[in-house]
Amino acid sequence: QVQLVESGGGLVQPGGSLRLSCVASGSILRIMSMDWYRQAPGKQRELVATITPGGNTNYADSVKGRFTISRDNAKKTVFLQMNSLKPEDTAVYYCNADIIAGDFRRSNFWGQGTQVTVSS
């Protein structure tokens, strides 16, 4: 059973920083792309950042220059460093990953989400 567990959310003032983590566990052969999504109240879930196994990254225009995605393949972990946070960054942040599990099947998995609130 593959699981993704996020941590690191919380309340922060505008201009502040947070670092999110997401750890994958279970019977995993290989983790392909790892992504961070977010969903604000009343809005659709949107892709924030993505990183390939080789470390290539891509970002939503709204977070470019402020957020950095990284991964530690040995620890099956993806990070999202969020700097210069704005109130509009307030959302539930979800980890997503394409994983080849122990049964050799490639599937897409989601974490349970972690709340990020940017407010003074």
Side-chain angles (χ1 to χ4, degrees), residues 11-18 66-67 81-89 117-120:
L11 173 63
V12 64
Q13 291 187 342
S17 298
L18 281 175
R66 300 188 298 122
F67 290 10
Q81 177 66 43
M82 305 185 294
N83 299 328
S84 303
L85 282 161
K86 306 174 181 180
E88 50 264 43
D89 295 317
T117 303
V118 185
S119 175
S120 55

Side-chain angles (χ1 to χ4, degrees), residues 4 12 15 23 25 35 43 46 51 68 92 97 104:
L4 300 178
V12 64
V23 181
S25 63
D35 316 306
K43 294 189 176 182
E46 62 172 350
I51 186 166
T68 302
V92 178
F104 297 95

Side-chain angles (χ1 to χ4, degrees), residues 4-5 7 19-25 31 34 36 51 69-80 95:
L4 300 178
V5 178
S7 61
R19 189 188 195 214
L20 305 183
S21 301
C22 172
V23 181
S25 63
I31 302 176
M34 302 185 84
W36 286 98
I51 186 166
I69 188 171
S70 60
R71 64 192 283 170
D72 184 328
N73 290 328
K75 295 183 178 179
K76 300 183 179 68
T77 302
V78 62
F79 305 97
L80 186 67
C95 176

